[in-house]
């Protein structure tokens, strides 16, 4: 069996512990903070990044280019290895399509190699949780087709539920209107959102106040999680660790989940969701 390399991108928001796994490569998206030079996602310190957002500095991001994928993929294939590319949702970025085009081009150059691509339709630690499972399966001896099929079969069961603290970041990205942002802020109305089956972020409902919005994430997990006590659950936060730990405690105490991993919403996603974001990721009956 040929060795295979798993390629993904920096939108996974995974810790270095997982990203440093053998034969796992994460291509970096660029982050541009207002008034600064562009940086690769990995070179941006999250706490400092959110402090700048709170000081009203804007931030933008850019997708990974086709050439960047070719530069990484070509040597891997030339060495006789196969590739499984698991990409950031095409509903949010052009990164997946760039990787898909690069893979198609290289499949003609290396017809004897296996090059599979999967649009995870996921983001942040939702995408990260799929990568976590893929790496774990490979370490346990699963071949490239088995891992690819697992991700394809389960990606629409990977639930993303999140809330934000500052509606003006969603307004800036065109996800809520200016009127909604102003009224929501005045009345302390918080959106409860999720990633739909097309990999797009949509508002599902609202909650009155911050604590109620975080509890709504828990309620969604309680309604749909598949055997939660047996799962690994990821929570990401936009420099709001105390709120993330509150949610984790509820999940441990009321749903019996033992393995909960908490991390930052990385700069690529955080540039659009803002400080105070709380996001919950788990496997459920449906997204």
């Amino acid at each position: 069996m040929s060795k295979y390399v798993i390629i993904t991108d920096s939108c996974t928001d995974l810790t270095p512990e997982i990203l440093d796994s053998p034969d796992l490569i994460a291509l970096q998206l660029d982050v541009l903070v207002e008034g600064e030079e562009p940086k690769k996602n990995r070179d941006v310190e999250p706490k400092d990044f959110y402090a700048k957002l709170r000081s009203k500095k804007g931030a933008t991001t850019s997708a990974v280019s086709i050439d960047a994928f070719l530069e990484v993929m070509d040597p891997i294939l030339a060495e006789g290895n196969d590739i499984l590319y698991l990409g950031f949702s095409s509903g949010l970025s052009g990164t997946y399509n760039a990787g898909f085009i690069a893979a198609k081009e290289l499949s003609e150059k290396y017809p004897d190699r296996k090059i599979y691509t999967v649009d995870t339709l996921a983001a942040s630690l939702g995408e990260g949780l799929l990568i976590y499972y893929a790496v774990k399966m490979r370490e346990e001896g699963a071949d490239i087709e088995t891992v690819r099929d697992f991700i394809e079969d389960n990606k629409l069961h990977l639930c993303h539920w999140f809330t934000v603290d500052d509606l003006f970041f969603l307004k800036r990205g065109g996800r809520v209107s200016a009127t909604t942002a102003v009224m929501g802020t005045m009345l302390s109305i918080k959106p409860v959102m999720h990633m739909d089956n097309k990999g797009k972020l949509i508002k599902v409902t609202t909650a009155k106040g911050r604590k109620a919005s975080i509890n709504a994430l828990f309620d969604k997990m309680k309604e749909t999680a598949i055997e939660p006590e047996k799962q690994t659950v990821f929570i990401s936060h936009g420099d709001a660790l105390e709120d993330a730990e509150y949610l984790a405690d509820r999940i441990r105490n009321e749903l019996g989940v033992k393995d909960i991993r908490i991390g930052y919403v990385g700069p690529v996603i955080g540039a659009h969701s803002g400080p105070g974001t709380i996001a919950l990721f788990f496997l459920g009956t449906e997204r």
Side-chain angles (χ1 to χ4, degrees):
M1 181 176 71
S2 299
K3 184 175 80 170
Y4 62 97
V5 175
I6 297 173
I7 294 178
T8 186
D9 52 68
S10 57
C11 291
T12 62
D13 292 344
L14 288 166
T15 62
E17 175 189 5
I18 298 175
L19 288 176
D20 289 341
S21 300
D23 300 317
L24 173 64
I25 297 173
L27 278 75
Q28 300 293 309
L29 279 77
D30 289 327
V31 180
L32 175 59
V33 176
E34 184 180 340
E36 300 182 8
E37 291 296 316
K39 291 183 179 179
K40 296 298 182 185
N41 185 74
R42 65 176 170 236
D43 297 326
V44 179
E45 199 285 315
K47 196 167 189 66
D48 178 60
F49 173 77
Y50 283 109
K52 290 174 180 175
L53 293 188
R54 287 190 175 102
S55 71
K56 305 306 179 184
K57 283 192 174 183
T60 57
T61 61
S62 61
V64 181
S65 68
I66 297 171
D67 286 344
F69 276 104
L70 291 171
E71 185 178 339
V72 168
M73 290 177 166
D74 198 311
I76 294 169
L77 298 165
E79 291 174 2
N81 304 310
D82 298 326
I83 289 175
L84 175 60
Y85 166 51
L86 307 175
F88 179 36
S89 174
S90 63
L92 296 177
S93 169
T95 294
Y96 171 74
N97 287 329
F100 176 83
I101 292 168
K104 186 175 181 181
E105 181 177 327
L106 290 171
S107 67
E108 297 173 1
K109 183 177 179 180
Y110 298 98
D112 295 330
R113 298 267 53 85
K114 297 174 181 176
I115 313 173
Y116 298 128
T117 70
V118 178
D119 181 355
T120 67
L121 301 173
S124 187
L125 283 177
E127 182 186 1
L129 189 50
L130 290 174
I131 303 302
Y132 168 81
Y133 283 123
V135 170
K136 189 169 185 288
M137 290 176 68
R138 186 182 59 186
E139 289 175 349
E140 293 171 351
D143 62 26
I144 188 170
E145 286 86 4
T146 299
V147 176
R148 176 202 60 189
D149 292 348
F150 174 86
I151 301 300
E152 285 285 11
D153 291 344
N154 286 278
K155 66 186 186 183
L156 294 185
H157 292 283
L158 201 294
C159 301
H160 304 55
W161 286 100
F162 74 102
T163 188
V164 302
D165 198 35
D166 188 338
L167 288 167
F168 285 94
F169 286 89
L170 294 180
K171 180 191 79 69
R172 183 181 299 165
R175 303 199 184 279
V176 301
S177 68
T179 300
T180 297
V182 171
M183 294 302 296
T185 300
M186 289 175 58
L187 299 173
S188 192
I189 300 297
K190 307 297 183 182
V192 178
M193 307 179 75
H194 86 138
M195 186 84 82
D196 69 11
N197 287 352
K198 295 180 180 179
K200 295 180 180 292
L201 300 178
I202 64 169
K203 186 179 81 172
V204 176
T205 185
T206 57
K208 176 68 172 172
R210 174 70 165 175
K211 187 61 67 70
S213 69
I214 297 171
N215 287 333
L217 307 185
F218 171 84
D219 292 340
K220 294 297 183 181
M221 182 174 178
K222 186 175 181 180
E223 290 170 14
T224 64
I226 302 169
E227 297 184 308
E229 69 281 359
K230 297 179 181 179
Q231 289 197 39
T232 295
V233 172
F234 283 180
I235 297 172
S236 61
H237 66 93
D239 198 31
L241 180 59
E242 185 176 336
D243 289 336
E245 289 177 338
Y246 165 79
L247 177 59
D249 286 343
R250 281 208 70 185
I251 293 169
R252 287 191 194 96
N253 296 334
E254 299 180 46
L255 299 181
V257 177
K258 296 179 176 62
D259 189 3
I260 301 177
R261 319 258 179 121
I262 298 174
Y264 272 98
V265 177
V268 172
I269 306 299
H272 305 284
S273 60
T277 300
I278 296 291
L280 173 63
F281 309 97
F282 59 91
L283 289 172
T285 53
E286 61 182 0
R287 279 199 171 185

